[in-house]
Amino acid sequence: MPLAVAHEAHGGGDPRMLDAHFGPVGPTAPADTGAAAHPTATERDGALALAVGLAANRSFETGRPVRTDELIAG
């Protein structure tokens, strides 16, 4: 099965997700949104994704699993 990949920036992204968030690459390239006509992610989803990324970075530094709630002070 052919797989379309993108390797721009910090590793690329799923072309359908990039089209949904930023629009098609060019005027001749139609947006490929797949089955989801409208993205359903919210600001909360973005914050949760950021927390997972921060935990992953800390895990790389320490060499141990890191829970996202360990990153929140207080």
Side-chain angles (χ1 to χ4, degrees):
M1 171 182 282
L3 176 65
V5 296
H7 294 287
E8 295 81 18
H10 68 283
D14 176 71
R16 290 178 294 173
M17 178 194 69
L18 295 174
D19 279 354
H21 288 294
F22 304 112
V25 174
T28 60
D32 177 11
T33 58
H38 302 285
T40 57
T42 65
E43 294 85 357
R44 182 177 188 278
D45 297 313
L48 293 172
L50 179 59
V52 169
L54 293 172
N57 286 344
R58 180 65 55 88
S59 179
F60 295 145
E61 294 169 2
T62 64
R64 65 175 188 82
V66 175
R67 293 174 47 98
T68 55
D69 60 0
E70 292 179 29
L71 303 172
I72 300 169

